[in-house]
Amino acid sequence: MEKKSIFSKQYIAVLVFTIAAVVAFFVMKPTRKTFLKTQGEVWTTEYHITYEASADLTDSINAVLDSIDRSANVFNKQSLVSRLNCNSTNRVDGIFARMFECAVKINKESDGAYDPTVMPLVNAWGFGYKNGQLPTPTQIDSLLAFVGILKVYLEDERLVKSDIRTQFDFSSIAKGLACDEVARMLARNGVENCMVEIGGEVVTKGVNEQGTPWNISIDMPVENNKATVHESALVIALNGKAVATSGNYRKYKEVEGKKVSHIVNPKTGYSEESTLLSATVVAADCMTADAWATACMAMGTQRTQAMFEKRSDLGVMTISTDAEGNFIVWSNKPFAALLPK
C-alpha cells in the first residue's frame, strides 16, 4: 500500500513562505540609529569618540588604534617604526608609507620646518625614548648630519637610508592619522555623523546629536608641565574638517632658567625660541593638520603668519605673547570663517 505524506504540497509551500518571511523580518528589519560614545586612553593621552550608528563599534575602533600603534608608536619597541629605527627591517607597511609621503610633502612646503627624522635630537633633549644629559653644541652638530627626510626614500615598499643612523619620530603625525583612520572605519560601517578626538586632535563628519555642526573648543596655552589644563580660548564649528593644535606650554623642561620645548627645530637642532605659544590648523584631514601644527611651532610666529596670511586651503590660528606677556590671537581668513557669527 502506497504511503501518503501527511503534508500536502500546498501546506509545505505555505510553511516555507512563512519561515522565509520571519527570517527576512529579523534580518532586514532596520535598527534604529543612535549616538554612541567610546572613550579611553592611548599613547598616554585620552580619546573621545562620538558617532551615530545602529551597533557598538568599540571593538573596531580599538582594532584601528592597535594597527596604528603597531606601525607608528616609537615607544613600542616591537612597532614597525622602532624596527626601522634600529635597522632590523627595511620593509614598510601602508600606514608608514602614508605618514612618510605626507611628511615629505609638508617638509618641502614648510622649507624643512617639519621633519620626522628629528628622533635623535628629540632623544638628545630628553623628550624621546632615551633620557640623558642635555646635548652640547658639538653633539647637536653631529646629530644634524643624519637628520633630514630627504636623506631617505621609499622604493618598492622598502625604506632606503643614506645613513643607517637616521631615525623617525612620527609622534607629531600619528594621532592625526589615527583620527582619520577611525573616521574612515566608521564611514565604512555606514556612519555619517561622528566626532573623533585623540589627545586634542579632532576629525568631524556630518552633525552632532542636536543636528548642528560640531563645536570644537580650542584651548588657551596655559602652562602646566604636570597636568593637562583645559581653558577654552574660543570655539569653532566644524563639519567634514579636521583640526590639530600644537604648543610648547604642556611638554617642556627648564634648563638654566629657560624653557626648552619638546618641539625641536630640525634645521637648527634646538628648541625654537619664539613668542609663539600654540598653533591650531584646520585641514581636510587630521594627519595634515597635525603635521602643519608642529611645523608652525618650529617656524615661529612671524614665519607662520607670513606663510598662511594668503593661503586659502588651510585655516590657521596662532596664540603668541607680546613683550608684556599678553596673549595675541591671530588667524587667517579660512580659520576666521569657522568662528560663530
Side-chain angles (χ1 to χ4, degrees), residues 98-147:
R98 287 182 58 198
M99 293 188 300
F100 182 86
E101 289 166 2
C102 179
V104 170
K105 179 177 182 292
I106 296 177
N107 174 270
K108 181 178 180 180
E109 294 179 2
S110 66
D111 190 27
Y114 180 75
D115 197 318
T117 65
V118 293
M119 187 77 260
L121 291 166
V122 172
N123 278 332
W125 285 103
F127 291 108
Y129 55 81
K130 292 182 179 180
N131 291 311
Q133 296 181 343
L134 296 180
T136 66
T138 300
Q139 290 172 328
I140 290 175
D141 287 341
S142 66
L143 293 174
L144 284 171
F146 49 90
V147 169

Side-chain angles (χ1 to χ4, degrees), residues 11-213:
Y11 176 83
I12 293 175
V14 171
L15 181 63
V16 170
F17 176 82
T18 302
I19 294 173
V22 171
V23 171
F25 175 79
F26 284 104
V27 172
M28 301 177 64
K29 180 182 177 181
T31 304
R32 181 176 175 272
K33 287 187 176 182
T34 185
F35 276 87
L36 304 171
K37 294 185 179 181
T38 298
Q39 62 184 40
E41 185 172 311
V42 65
W43 309 312
T44 69
T45 191
E46 294 181 349
Y47 67 85
H48 303 85
I49 301 168
T50 301
Y51 57 97
E52 186 183 28
S54 57
D56 189 332
L57 297 171
T58 299
D59 288 345
S60 296
I61 291 171
N62 290 334
V64 172
L65 297 179
D66 287 344
S67 69
I68 302 296
D69 185 84
R70 291 193 301 271
S71 181
N73 185 6
V74 73
F75 295 98
N76 177 356
K77 294 182 179 180
Q78 303 304 316
S79 71
L80 174 61
V81 70
S82 294
R83 289 182 286 122
L84 289 167
N85 283 347
C86 68
N87 301 301
S88 64
T89 186
N90 64 355
R91 292 287 177 179
V92 304
D93 61 11
I95 292 173
F96 183 93
R98 287 182 58 198
M99 293 188 300
F100 182 86
E101 289 166 2
C102 179
V104 170
K105 179 177 182 292
I106 296 177
N107 174 270
K108 181 178 180 180
E109 294 179 2
S110 66
D111 190 27
Y114 180 75
D115 197 318
T117 65
V118 293
M119 187 77 260
L121 291 166
V122 172
N123 278 332
W125 285 103
F127 291 108
Y129 55 81
K130 292 182 179 180
N131 291 311
Q133 296 181 343
L134 296 180
T136 66
T138 300
Q139 290 172 328
I140 290 175
D141 287 341
S142 66
L143 293 174
L144 284 171
F146 49 90
V147 169
I149 199 166
L150 298 183
K151 293 181 172 67
V152 293
Y153 62 92
L154 295 181
E155 183 179 79
D156 297 329
E157 300 182 347
R158 292 186 304 113
L159 180 70
V160 182
K161 300 180 181 181
S162 60
D163 190 314
I164 62 171
R165 295 173 296 175
T166 299
Q167 296 183 333
F168 291 90
D169 178 12
F170 282 114
S171 300
S172 60
I173 201 171
K175 286 190 300 180
L177 175 61
C179 289
D180 291 331
E181 288 300 301
V182 169
R184 290 189 182 99
M185 179 278 296
L186 293 175
R188 289 194 299 271
N189 283 275
V191 174
E192 297 178 352
N193 303 308
C194 69
M195 186 278 296
V196 181
E197 180 263 328
I198 303 176
E201 324 302 17
V202 182
V203 168
T204 63
K205 304 290 183 182
V207 295
N208 59 25
E209 197 165 0
Q210 289 72 43
T212 60

Side-chain angles (χ1 to χ4, degrees), residues 178-289:
C179 289
D180 291 331
E181 288 300 301
V182 169
R184 290 189 182 99
M185 179 278 296
L186 293 175
R188 289 194 299 271
N189 283 275
V191 174
E192 297 178 352
N193 303 308
C194 69
M195 186 278 296
V196 181
E197 180 263 328
I198 303 176
E201 324 302 17
V202 182
V203 168
T204 63
K205 304 290 183 182
V207 295
N208 59 25
E209 197 165 0
Q210 289 72 43
T212 60
W214 297 91
N215 290 325
I216 307 301
S217 176
I218 309 301
D219 282 351
M220 287 289 290
V222 178
E223 285 195 2
N224 194 318
N225 202 21
K226 297 181 179 180
T228 300
V229 178
H230 295 294
E231 184 177 322
S232 181
L234 50 81
V235 174
I236 58 176
L238 288 185
N239 181 345
K241 296 276 188 179
V243 60
T245 298
S246 185
N248 59 14
Y249 54 94
R250 283 184 183 151
K251 193 175 180 182
Y252 60 89
K253 60 176 60 179
E254 298 285 344
V255 179
E256 297 178 355
K258 292 185 178 182
K259 184 174 68 175
V260 177
S261 168
H262 69 288
I263 299 175
V264 179
N265 189 322
K267 301 184 77 172
T268 67
Y270 290 85
S271 170
E272 184 69 19
E273 293 186 15
S274 169
T275 59
L276 186 59
L277 299 177
S278 71
T280 300
V281 178
V282 176
D285 65 276
C286 204
M287 179 168 60
T288 296

